[in-house]
Amino acid sequence: MSTQFATPPPGAADHWWQHGVVYQIYPLSFADSNGDGQGDLEGIRSRLDHLTWLGVDAVWISPFYPSPMKDFGYDVSDYCDVDPRFGTLAEFDTLLGDLQARGLRVILDLIPNHTSDQHPWFRESVSSIKNPKRDWYIWRDPAPGGGPPSNWASEFGGSAWQLDQASGQYYYHAFLKEQPDLNWRNPEVRRAMHDVLRFWLDRGVDGFRVDAIHHLFKDEELRDNPQNPDFVPGMSPRRQLIRRFTTDLPEVHDAVREMRALLASYDNRVLIGEAWLPFDRLMAYYGDNLDCFHLPFNFHLIGARWEAPALRSMIAEYEALLPRGAWPNWVLGNHDRSRLASRVGDAQARVAAVLLCTLRGTPTLYYGDELGMRDVPIPPEAVQDPYEKNVPGLGLGRDPARTPMQWSAAPHAGFSSARPWLPIAADYAHCNVAIQKEDPRSMLTLYRSLLALRHARPTLSLGDYEAIDPAAHVLGYYRAHAGRRDAVLLNLSGSPQKLALPSALAGAHVLLSTHPERAGRPVGAELLADEAVVLAASE
Ligand code: GLC
């Protein structure tokens, strides 16, 4: 079958990952084809019409590799296969072919920092101090007086060191004790992970989202992490320490550079990095010569104060720090954080959708956010996430943002014929794809219109960014490309806002609004409460 990729807009940057929109699928929760209450690859394949109808360009599929599921697939026991609960390798190949035949690119999750403790590499490593794979993981003797070798803390609570009774040594795990960290200083580990990359690239995948990359190297001297003076009770316990000696070590960039060089021997693939870092440190992940990640994920919208001045200065800081030639990107939600609509409310979630789809840079959209899905309360007996189990009651659990996709008003929201692995939102009978598709005022219709507009207007996908300041609570910017300019105005408040517009926007018409009745009309002197608009500026 020949592969037809969407034609890039005129004057496009060369790469699909620059003008395209990425959609994250959390496979356990997208669609269940075999009635076991858990999503699977065939389920995804049964919903391809949704993806093309919506208008996304690429899907990133969270892990579906064999896994004991202690961290829901982020604990991998075989990097080169498919877990039976998700399907088979043959089904993956079919899914990949079908997605690509529709012009969609396919990005996989790569988890290089750690394996499952059930991975054969670790089983060998733990078997004896003399085993050749001992050094594939991070093993250390106890501290001189006994106990863990350093004060390093696990992301999910407790010490990051786990004692192996048999050998008397400890191994390091940045996440669960069932997720031992690999030793990236060992060249055999690097080679083995490169083989994993090749395995999937040879099958035809279009790139990787690389998990937890800032954890890849830890201080060889095992220096204790300093106390965090800003810690207050209620924060995740791991924040008692500043992760100076356990994250973002300089060696990480060489390791990423090697992955990128490997990708470069294939056509047109993308490397995306997951690193939760301040902007100044994040920029180093592009590489000195733009030879590391194409897109180090920018998560700063997720934690942002939802006010125009705060967003304006955050965007300005990001734009200013981007290395020359580096391509920006924006993420509004993912499987690790509270849902957008729960963070900012339903009305502002629509404003946020316009922001995500009109900022300069590749947008990543989390499944279900196109419906405005909210966090679903999880009763204690239904909790799945190990983070919530280890550190209960602080609101850190990730299950609420991982609940099944709401396809229709059918039982189990059309997700499955059986009771799903996590509860379905109480409002699914109203908040679902089937209903929202028919509703011109729905979030789904808004997203579809936004993506269509973005595809039709290179200004929005490729244009330069220039801030404008039309009112205190209004975030505004131009996007300019090839002699054309569009403008975006977002009312971050729940009350109408008078606008002081530059002359180029005085008579401008609304191309799109969160309030669809305004489309096609002049913008006038005011934005409605919670309104965001895209305008065509006059030249
Ligand atoms: C990343 C993933 C998260 C996972 C962790 C450990 O942050 O997004 O879901 O728990 O890495 O792999």
Side-chain angles (χ1 to χ4, degrees):
M1 196 182 320
S2 77
T3 304
Q4 280 294 308
F5 291 112
T7 321
D14 313 308
H15 302 292
W16 60 270
W17 48 267
Q18 292 177 298
H19 56 80
V21 175
V22 179
Y23 181 89
Q24 181 190 355
I25 293 179
Y26 193 70
L28 272 178
S29 296
F30 198 62
D32 172 19
S33 74
N34 63 356
D36 64 358
Q38 302 182 339
D40 45 47
L41 299 183
E42 277 296 290
I44 298 174
R45 207 164 70 84
S46 72
R47 296 293 184 179
L48 299 188
D49 284 349
H50 176 67
L51 303 174
T52 41
W53 178 88
L54 182 60
V56 297
D57 304 275
V59 292
W60 148 34
I61 311 176
S62 286
F64 49 75
Y65 316 112
S67 165
M69 292 283 159
K70 298 287 183 197
D71 190 20
F72 294 96
Y74 286 94
D75 49 325
V76 179
S77 53
D78 181 353
Y79 286 103
C80 299
D81 205 346
V82 172
D83 191 285
R85 83 188 63 219
F86 291 116
T88 63
L89 206 47
E91 284 170 1
F92 172 77
D93 288 339
T94 309
L95 174 64
L96 177 68
D98 286 3
L99 281 161
Q100 292 181 335
R102 286 171 179 248
L104 289 159
R105 307 283 182 157
V106 181
I107 299 165
L108 300 193
D109 223 305
L110 180 80
I111 301 112
N113 181 67
H114 46 268
T115 67
S116 159
D117 63 347
Q118 299 307 307
H119 195 294
W121 300 341
F122 187 73
R123 297 178 77 122
E124 278 195 51
S125 188
V126 78
S127 68
S128 138
I129 286 189
K130 300 222 163 59
N131 188 282
K133 292 221 167 42
R134 185 67 167 185
D135 184 53
W136 280 40
Y137 293 83
I138 301 171
W139 289 98
R140 291 291 186 278
D141 290 331
S150 72
N151 74 348
W152 296 351
S154 155
E155 292 294 305
F156 292 148
S159 171
W161 292 103
Q162 177 67 22
L163 179 63
D164 166 46
Q165 296 287 355
S167 66
Q169 286 195 318
Y170 286 81
Y171 67 85
Y172 177 76
H173 56 92
F175 296 90
L176 297 174
K177 68 177 179 356
E178 293 87 355
Q179 294 170 294
D181 279 41
L182 285 161
N183 174 17
W184 272 78
R185 292 197 171 87
N186 182 323
E188 290 176 19
V189 167
R190 292 160 101 113
R191 276 199 292 275
M193 202 55 71
H194 293 168
D195 287 345
V196 172
L197 284 156
R198 280 194 206 91
F199 176 85
W200 294 105
L201 290 167
D202 289 342
R203 295 193 106 77
V205 307
D206 295 289
F208 300 95
R209 170 270 190 193
V210 187
D211 186 69
I213 193 68
H214 50 314
H215 286 276
L216 212 60
F217 286 85
K218 5 277 160 182
D219 186 39
E220 280 203 283
E221 293 173 39
L222 309 189
R223 279 170 284 186
D224 275 354
N225 274 329
Q227 297 293 323
N228 175 6
D230 300 326
F231 179 80
V232 288
M235 286 180 173
S236 176
R238 72 105 180 127
R239 295 186 62 186
Q240 287 170 1
L241 300 174
I242 295 172
R243 300 178 297 183
R244 180 168 307 149
F245 297 113
T246 45
T247 59
D248 195 27
L249 266 61
E251 294 94 317
V252 66
H253 304 299
D254 283 338
V256 177
R257 197 167 289 116
E258 285 175 12
M259 293 184 203
R260 173 72 179 269
L262 191 158
L263 242 77
S265 60
Y266 294 78
D267 270 0
N268 223 358
R269 316 290 164 110
V270 72
L271 201 60
I272 303 176
E274 188 216 17
W276 295 81
L277 292 171
F279 283 144
D280 53 344
R281 286 160 64 193
L282 187 63
M283 294 308 165
Y285 287 72
Y286 281 104
D288 289 341
N289 301 306
L290 300 184
D291 50 3
C292 289
F293 288 113
H294 296 101
L295 303 173
F297 261 151
N298 165 8
F299 296 117
H300 288 243
L301 279 178
I302 294 185
R305 217 155 21 97
W306 206 251
E307 292 166 4
L311 290 176
R312 188 178 297 125
S313 54
M314 192 257 281
I315 297 164
E317 188 194 350
Y318 182 58
E319 283 278 348
L321 287 172
L322 275 172
R324 204 179 153 74
W327 189 254
N329 78 91
W330 297 94
V331 181
L332 259 187
N334 65 24
H335 63 292
D336 292 328
R337 294 296 150 119
S338 195
R339 286 259 181 203
L340 170 68
S342 295
R343 297 197 316 265
V344 302
D346 294 344
Q348 282 296 317
R350 294 173 66 84
V351 174
V354 178
L355 180 68
L356 178 71
C357 297
T358 61
L359 274 174
R360 190 173 85 92
T362 306
T364 300
L365 171 59
Y366 183 47
Y367 89 93
D369 278 358
E370 75 270 38
L371 301 174
M373 272 173 65
R374 289 173 150 267
D375 286 347
V376 175
I378 309 292
E381 65 280 7
V383 168
Q384 304 285 337
D385 183 17
Y387 197 9
E388 178 66 29
K389 287 182 179 171
N390 286 0
V391 186
L394 296 179
L396 298 168
R398 299 167 298 174
D399 294 330
R402 297 175 172 179
T403 61
M405 180 69 173
Q406 295 153 211
W407 293 104
S408 71
H412 309 304
F415 162 75
S416 172
S417 57
R419 189 160 168 233
W421 75 290
L422 279 174
I424 302 234
D427 66 352
Y428 80 89
H430 312 286
C431 178
N432 63 55
V433 173
I435 287 186
Q436 288 201 16
K437 225 173 156 170
E438 305 302 326
D439 176 1
R441 300 190 62 86
S442 71
M443 183 70 140
L444 186 58
T445 304
L446 174 65
Y447 260 111
R448 185 173 189 240
S449 311
L450 275 164
L451 297 185
L453 191 67
R454 194 184 153 92
H455 282 125
R457 299 183 81 84
T459 40
L460 297 180
S461 52
L462 303 171
D464 295 340
Y465 170 90
E466 187 197 332
I468 43 181
D469 203 355
H473 296 293
V474 175
L475 177 66
Y477 44 88
Y478 286 120
R479 300 292 313 283
H481 181 74
R484 287 177 162 268
R485 258 196 327 182
D486 290 335
V488 182
L489 306 176
L490 308 115
N491 182 355
L492 275 283
S493 80
S495 48
Q497 296 295 315
K498 293 248 174 298
L499 298 169
L501 290 178
S503 58
L505 294 179
H509 276 68
V510 175
L511 294 169
L512 177 148
S513 168
T514 45
H515 297 58
E517 65 281 3
R518 296 256 283 164
R521 308 222 177 120
V523 60
E526 197 172 89
L527 281 189
L528 305 176
D530 302 304
E531 185 184 26
V533 294
V534 184
L535 308 173
S538 61
E539 300 315 315

